[in-house]
């Protein structure tokens, strides 16, 4: 499905036109008169999808269509035609680089949706989005909130035992959490999470959009010592998603080693929030040391 108009250039190469100015003007007129794309399309004898193509700059519209639009909105035809003719033209290779090529099955699906009346289309997409969300989470391993609580309290107990001067090294390491990745049901919402532990820290990762759910977990572990925002690959998704990582350091790890842990894991300071004053001091000293001499004062 080609959503752009093409024409040969003087050099014989195909160029792609974007009718941005015309599209912006038509959208402005439609909004001014408080019309939906469906209603305007019916008034002008076209589909709502066609109106959408023009407003997005992917179609320029015929003279007959522009004449109807000019009459309908009581604006000069010459104004709309001049906006159409002032469209930007650029090589098709450039356009291809700026537009993602969808697989044919996605284009076919989009074409089907374009044939549906606007309001019905919105309802269909909302229902499909909800079903897709359920299907994606269905591909992940489900965990019970009580199960997660039990695991985290075991980590906390092991850390407390490690502080006991009479505990043996075997007792200190008797519980080492294996990585968990899946989803938890928080009330009526499924929430992706990843749970990791090493000798230095326990890390819980949530999608940034779901980060408020960490409050339930902090009831068991207290507030996180450090919070880091980054992008991470999520199972079954083609693009990385923004996530927030919540870190709790082992009580056996000194402040200096916590700072070293941050450095070794390449955690950018500008994405890191730290609740520990001493660790913040280490980070601040590192920032100051990296500044040119003239900026130290």
């Amino acid at each position: 499905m080609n959503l752009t108009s093409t024409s040969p250039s003087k050099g014989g190469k195909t160029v792609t036109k974007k009718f941005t100015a015309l599209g912006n003007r038509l959208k402005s007129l439609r909004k001014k008169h408080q019309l939906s794309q469906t209603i305007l399309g019916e008034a002008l004898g076209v589909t709502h999808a066609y109106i959408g193509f023009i407003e997005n700059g992917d179609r320029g519209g015929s003279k007959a269509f522009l004449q109807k639009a000019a009459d309908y909105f009581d604006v000069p035809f010459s104004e709309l035609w001049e906006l159409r003719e002032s469209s930007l033209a650029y090589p098709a290779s450039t356009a291809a680089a700026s537009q993602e090529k969808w697989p044919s099955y996605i284009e076919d699906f989009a074409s089907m949706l374009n044939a549906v009346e606007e309001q019905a289309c919105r309802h269909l997409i909302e229902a499909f989005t909800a079903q897709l969300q359920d299907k994606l989470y269905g591909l992940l391993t489900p965990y019970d909130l009580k199960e997660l609580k039990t695991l985290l309290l075991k980590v906390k107990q092991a850390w407390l035992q490690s502080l006991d001067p009479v505990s043996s090294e075997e007792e200190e390491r008797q519980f080492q959490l294996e990585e968990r990745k899946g989803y938890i049901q928080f009330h009526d919402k499924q929430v992706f999470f990843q749970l990791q532990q090493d000798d230095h820290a326990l890390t819980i990762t949530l999608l940034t959009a779901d980060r408020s759910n960490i409050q339930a977990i902090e009831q068991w572990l207290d507030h996180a010592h450090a919070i880091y925002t980054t992008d991470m690959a999520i199972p079954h998704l083609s693009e990385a998603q923004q996530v927030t990582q919540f870190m709790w350091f082992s009580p056996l790890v000194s402040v200096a080693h916590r700072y070293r842990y941050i450095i070794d894991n390449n955690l950018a300071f500008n994405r890191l929030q730290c609740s520990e004053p001493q660790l913040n001091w280490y980070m601040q000293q590192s920032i100051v040391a990296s500044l040119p001499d003239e900026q130290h004062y």
Side-chain angles (χ1 to χ4, degrees):
M1 180 174 60
N2 182 18
L3 300 184
T4 56
S5 298
T6 58
S7 59
S9 67
K10 292 181 178 179
K13 295 181 179 179
T14 301
V15 299
T16 299
K17 288 187 176 182
K18 291 291 288 184
F19 302 91
T20 305
L22 174 63
N24 290 341
R25 178 57 173 150
L26 183 64
K27 185 174 183 179
S28 175
L29 290 168
R30 180 175 63 81
K31 293 288 188 181
K32 180 181 178 181
H33 289 76
Q34 299 181 341
L35 302 172
S36 68
Q37 290 182 343
T38 299
I39 292 176
L40 179 58
E42 291 175 352
L44 300 181
V46 296
T47 66
H48 76 275
Y50 188 79
I51 297 296
F53 291 155
I54 293 180
E55 290 186 356
N56 291 332
D58 297 320
R59 291 284 190 274
S62 64
K63 281 188 177 182
F65 170 80
L66 294 180
Q67 185 64 65
K68 286 183 179 180
D71 294 341
Y72 186 83
F73 289 118
D74 194 22
V75 297
F77 165 79
S78 59
E79 175 190 344
L80 299 182
W81 185 254
E82 287 174 5
L83 289 174
R84 184 191 191 281
E85 292 301 290
S86 66
S87 60
L88 297 176
Y90 49 92
S93 58
T94 303
S98 64
Q99 295 180 348
E100 186 171 358
K101 175 64 177 176
W102 300 108
S104 59
Y105 57 86
I106 293 181
E107 291 189 345
D108 290 343
F109 181 68
S111 181
M112 290 172 59
L113 290 176
N114 279 333
V116 178
E117 187 272 329
E118 183 178 10
Q119 192 62 30
C121 184
R122 289 179 183 274
H123 290 314
L124 286 172
I125 291 176
E126 289 174 2
F128 175 75
T129 301
Q131 292 177 17
L132 180 61
Q133 186 87 346
D134 289 339
K135 291 289 186 182
L136 286 174
Y137 276 106
L139 297 174
L140 300 174
T141 304
Y143 288 90
D144 184 79
L145 196 58
K146 292 181 180 180
E147 180 183 1
L148 177 63
K149 179 179 179 180
T150 300
L151 291 171
L152 297 179
L153 289 180
K154 284 184 177 180
V155 173
K156 186 174 183 179
Q157 182 180 10
W159 280 354
L160 291 175
Q161 288 179 344
S162 70
L163 296 174
D164 186 348
V166 299
S167 65
S168 66
E169 182 176 346
E170 181 179 351
E171 289 176 328
E172 292 175 9
R173 298 182 179 275
Q174 62 181 344
F175 182 77
Q176 183 71 34
L177 186 68
E178 295 182 357
E179 179 179 333
R180 303 288 204 284
K181 184 184 294 185
Y183 75 89
I184 306 173
Q185 190 77 31
F186 275 97
H187 306 296
D188 296 330
K189 184 176 183 181
Q190 296 162 321
V191 176
F192 168 83
F193 84 102
Q194 178 175 281
L195 187 61
Q196 297 169 296
Q197 183 191 8
D198 54 32
D199 292 338
H200 290 78
L202 170 71
T203 302
I204 297 177
T205 302
L206 302 178
L207 292 173
T208 297
D210 296 330
R211 62 176 293 167
S212 62
N213 291 286
I214 200 64
Q215 295 175 1
I217 296 173
E218 288 183 325
Q219 294 177 5
W220 314 322
L221 294 176
D222 204 357
H223 294 298
H225 299 143
I227 302 175
Y228 188 68
T229 302
T230 186
D231 293 332
M232 187 178 83
I234 304 296
H236 311 297
L237 296 183
S238 59
E239 294 184 358
Q241 303 294 304
Q242 187 180 79
V243 299
T244 300
Q245 297 177 326
F246 300 86
M247 287 173 278
W248 290 263
F249 290 106
S250 165
L252 293 179
V253 180
S254 67
V255 176
H257 283 91
R258 295 180 185 191
Y259 169 73
R260 189 72 253 170
Y261 182 81
I262 290 173
I263 298 298
D264 291 344
N265 283 277
N266 299 314
L267 304 184
F269 290 169
N270 63 337
R271 294 186 176 187
L272 185 67
Q273 303 173 40
C274 184
S275 62
E276 295 191 316
Q278 289 180 307
L279 188 52
N280 269 324
W281 182 85
Y282 269 90
M283 293 166 56
Q284 185 63 36
Q285 295 306 306
S286 177
I287 293 173
V288 171
S290 66
L291 295 174
D293 292 341
E294 62 271 15
Q295 296 187 32
H296 285 187
Y297 304 98

